[in-house]
Each structure stands twice: as structure tokens, then as C-alpha cells.
């Protein structure tokens, strides 16, 4: 039997195959989202903060976070990566808070609390540890809406993506069969928003540089 994200078992063989395929795709999309978030943070950071390289904590923390999803898919030995999974969100939170470019929102804090609260329904201790990976993803998605200069329409898309991801966590506890579909939607929306924001960042930072050039 193939365990779902929170440790429940899927009995049907065909369901296992579909579930495993969807979760593998979502895992790859999650890695893509982590990389795009780091790249966007790097662009913004280099412009506003200059020499500070806090965005690398996002990349490193994201890589550690992804180990939680890799462990789920490939059944990596749990004790080896538990510390790494817990360290990932800490590095991401440190980067976002220290940069001063992202403001924590009540929505973000509420979502983190809801994800953490799902631990009371999880029997497997390692899957409780893996919730740290989910917290990290919630932080990264909310980083989009937390950037002061993010256009409102993209903030709304990020909020939809983050709430959908929170919904996936809870659905996986009780309705594991449809949870990966919700996860897939959340990741696609997150990546779409990040791609659009990359164009916005290039355009805005480029226009600002032109203004500085012509003002001298």
C-alpha cells in the first residue's frame, strides 16, 4: 500500500498508481515553485538590498523542505532527513523576515496555525515532522503577497494558491483520493503567479533604472 501525504493508506492498486503519479508531478512543481521564488527574491533583493544575499537562505531552505516530499515518494529513511525538514522552514522564515521586503500578514499566520493544527489528527510521528515542509511552502507562497510592491491581483492569486494548499493538507487527512488534485491546482496557480511576477519585476526595476539614468 502506498501511503498518502499524511500517512493514510490507499488500498486500490489503480488508485495507488494515480495517486503516486499526481504526487510525483506535484513534487516537481513544488521544486519549480521554490526555485522561482528564490529567483524572484534574488532579483528584488539585489535591487533594494545590494550586497545582502538573504535569498540564498530561501533556496537552501527550500531544498531542505523538498526532502519531505522526496521522502514521501521514495520512502527515504526517516531519521536521516527529519532534522533537515525542520530546518528548512526556519531558514525560509529567517530570510523573509531579515530582508525587510516581506511583511508578515495575518493570513499567513492563520494558515501556518491551521497547517500545524492538523498534526493532532496525524498518528505517524514522521508525518508530523513532514508538516514542517508544508509550513515552508505556505511561507513561500505567502511571500508573493507579502512583498510590499506586489500588484493586488497577484496578491489575490497567491492567497488563493496558499489557501488551496492548506485545503490539500486537510483533505489528505480525510479524503486522500482527491487531495493530490487540489495540490496540483495550488502549485500550478503558484507557478503561474511567480512567472507573471518575474515579468512585472523586470519591467518595474528596468523602468526605475531608466528614471535614475535620465535624472542625472
Amino acid at each position: 500500500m502506498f501511503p498518502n501525504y499524511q500517512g493514510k493508506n490507499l488500498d486500490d492498486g489503480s488508485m495507488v498508481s494515480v495517486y503516486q503519479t499526481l504526487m510525483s508531478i506535484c513534487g516537481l512543481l513544488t521544486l519549480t515553485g521554490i526555485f522561482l521564488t528564490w529567483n524572484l527574491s534574488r532579483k528584488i533583493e539585489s535591487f533594494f538590498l545590494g550586497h545582502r544575499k538573504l535569498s540564498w537562505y530561501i533556496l537552501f531552505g527550500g531544498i531542505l523542505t523538498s526532502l519531505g516530499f522526496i521522502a514521501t515518494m521514495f520512502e527515504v529513511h526517516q531519521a536521516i532527513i527529519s532534522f533537515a525538514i525542520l530546518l528548512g522552514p526556519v531558514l525560509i522564515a529567517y530570510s523573509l523576515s531579515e530582508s525587510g521586503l516581506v511583511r508578515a500578514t495575518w493570513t499567513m499566520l492563520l494558515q501556518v496555525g491551521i497547517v500545524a493544527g492538523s498534526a493532532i489528527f496525524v498518528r505517524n510521528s514522521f508525518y508530523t515532522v513532514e508538516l514542517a515542509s508544508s509550513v515552508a511552502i505556505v511561507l513561500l507562497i505567502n511571500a508573493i503577497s507579502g512583498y510590499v510592491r506586489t500588484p493586488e491581483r497577484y496578491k489575490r492569486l497567491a492567497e488563493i494558491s496558499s489557501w488551496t494548499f492548506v485545503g490539500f493538507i486537510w483533505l489528505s487527512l480525510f479524503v486522500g483520493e482527491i487531495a493530490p488534485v487540489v495540490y496540483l491546482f495550488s502549485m500550478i496557480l503558484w507557478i503561474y503567479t511567480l512567472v507573471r511576477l518575474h515579468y512585472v519585476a523586470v519591467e518595474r526595476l528596468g523602468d526605475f533604472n531608466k528614471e535614475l539614468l535620465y535624472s542625472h
Side-chain angles (χ1 to χ4, degrees):
M1 292 180 289
F2 185 81
N4 76 2
Y5 183 69
Q6 300 296 344
K8 295 175 66 178
N9 292 319
L10 303 173
D11 298 320
D12 182 72
S14 60
M15 184 63 69
V16 169
S17 179
V18 172
Y19 181 91
Q20 188 173 18
T21 300
L22 284 176
M23 287 299 289
S24 297
I25 293 172
C26 289
L28 292 174
L29 290 176
T30 301
L31 288 174
T32 302
I34 290 170
F35 176 79
L36 290 175
T37 302
W38 163 74
N39 195 38
L40 178 64
S41 300
R42 182 180 60 84
K43 290 178 183 294
I44 297 173
E45 178 186 71
S46 63
F47 185 83
F48 289 103
L49 301 182
H51 65 282
R52 301 193 73 185
K53 301 298 181 184
L54 293 169
S55 59
W56 285 99
Y57 288 101
I58 289 180
L59 181 61
F60 187 47
I63 292 173
L64 294 178
T65 292
S66 67
L67 293 178
F69 299 92
I70 293 172
T72 300
M73 290 186 291
F74 300 107
E75 299 183 3
V76 178
H77 194 278
Q78 299 172 358
I80 297 176
I81 60 173
S82 292
F83 177 76
I85 293 173
L86 293 173
L87 180 61
V90 174
L91 293 176
I92 291 171
Y94 172 78
S95 174
L96 296 178
S97 62
E98 284 297 308
S99 69
L101 300 174
V102 178
R103 291 184 299 194
T105 64
W106 285 110
T107 299
M108 177 194 295
L109 298 176
L110 177 61
Q111 289 175 351
V112 170
I114 292 174
V115 170
S118 67
I120 64 177
F121 295 100
V122 179
R123 298 178 181 177
N124 187 308
S125 60
F126 180 68
Y127 287 100
T128 303
V129 173
E130 280 203 317
L131 284 176
S133 293
S134 300
V135 169
I137 299 302
V138 168
L139 292 176
L140 288 174
I141 298 176
N142 275 280
I144 299 174
S145 56
Y147 281 122
V148 178
R149 298 174 182 271
T150 299
E152 285 299 322
R153 62 182 179 276
Y154 295 121
K155 288 185 178 182
R156 288 193 293 271
L157 289 177
E159 288 178 0
I160 294 172
S161 175
S162 57
W163 277 116
T164 305
F165 183 76
V166 172
F168 151 70
I169 299 301
W170 279 84
L171 281 173
S172 63
L173 286 167
F174 307 107
V175 196
E177 294 81 0
I178 67 171
V181 178
V182 178
Y183 184 13
L184 181 64
F185 173 79
S186 175
M187 292 300 98
I188 291 175
L189 185 58
W190 181 31
I191 290 172
Y192 168 78
T193 307
L194 284 167
V195 170
R196 296 299 302 169
L197 279 175
H198 273 78
Y199 288 107
V200 172
V202 170
E203 180 180 355
R204 287 190 173 183
L205 298 183
D207 289 344
F208 190 77
N209 281 326
K210 289 179 182 178
E211 291 178 8
L212 290 178
L213 178 65
Y214 290 118
S215 65
H216 287 77

